[in-house]
Amino acid sequence: MNVKPFKFLLSAVIIYLLYCGTTHAQSKPTGLTINTKQDLEANRVKIDSLDNKLIKILGERERIVLAIGIYKAKNHIPPLQEARFKQVVEKGMAAGNKEGLSPEFITELLNAIHKESLRIERDSTVVKQ
């Protein structure tokens, strides 16, 4: 099994939960019961829809990262801002905890997002005007 697409999808789900403030959670009962194959298929359709929204949210987030990267490049600010990333992780951990998500998972997720954001910021130096 290729783990990269799974990690990406899982990352996208968590981003959706963290940034959109949905009430979906792994540890909280939702009252959702799947009793039939039709229920299963209907919920898979919902998951597909949420996945599409997550991808759009990630794209929106990274477009903001690009703008920040251009600003940083113009103002000679290094892409990596350790104190800011620490804040992001702390907020993510608190939000993830409320959703029943492990600190290890949130850390791994936010590190993956941060790695992509740094890549985009570094690439933005080519775009700067």
Side-chain angles (χ1 to χ4, degrees):
M1 176 177 148
N2 188 346
V3 179
K4 284 187 178 187
F6 175 75
K7 281 186 175 181
F8 178 77
L9 178 59
L10 202 49
S11 298
V13 169
I14 299 307
I15 291 169
Y16 184 79
L17 293 173
L18 294 174
Y19 286 99
C20 292
T22 65
T23 58
H24 300 94
Q26 292 180 352
S27 65
K28 296 178 185 175
T30 62
L32 178 65
T33 304
I34 299 175
N35 294 315
T36 66
K37 187 170 183 172
Q38 289 80 13
D39 292 341
L40 175 64
E41 291 306 316
N43 280 286
R44 286 181 172 163
V45 169
K46 290 177 186 177
I47 287 173
D48 291 345
S49 175
L50 289 170
D51 290 347
N52 287 332
K53 290 177 185 177
L54 292 169
I55 300 302
K56 288 182 180 185
I57 289 168
L58 284 170
E60 181 180 347
R61 184 187 193 283
E62 297 310 331
R63 284 185 290 278
I64 294 167
V65 165
L66 178 61
I68 288 170
I70 292 168
Y71 173 85
K72 285 180 179 179
K74 285 180 179 179
N75 292 282
H76 309 289
I77 300 169
L80 178 58
Q81 301 290 300
E82 290 182 33
R84 169 65 181 144
F85 182 60
K86 183 178 178 187
Q87 289 175 340
V88 169
V89 171
E90 288 171 357
K91 288 178 184 179
M93 294 263 218
N97 185 49
K98 290 178 184 176
E99 297 297 331
L101 302 169
S102 74
E104 296 81 12
F105 174 74
I106 295 297
T107 300
E108 184 177 335
L109 168 68
L110 293 176
N111 278 325
I113 294 167
H114 191 240
K115 181 178 177 182
E116 177 66 2
S117 296
L118 286 173
R119 183 196 64 77
I120 288 170
E121 282 192 30
R122 287 187 178 112
D123 288 352
S124 72
T125 59
V126 176
V127 178
K128 82 173 183 178
Q129 313 238 349

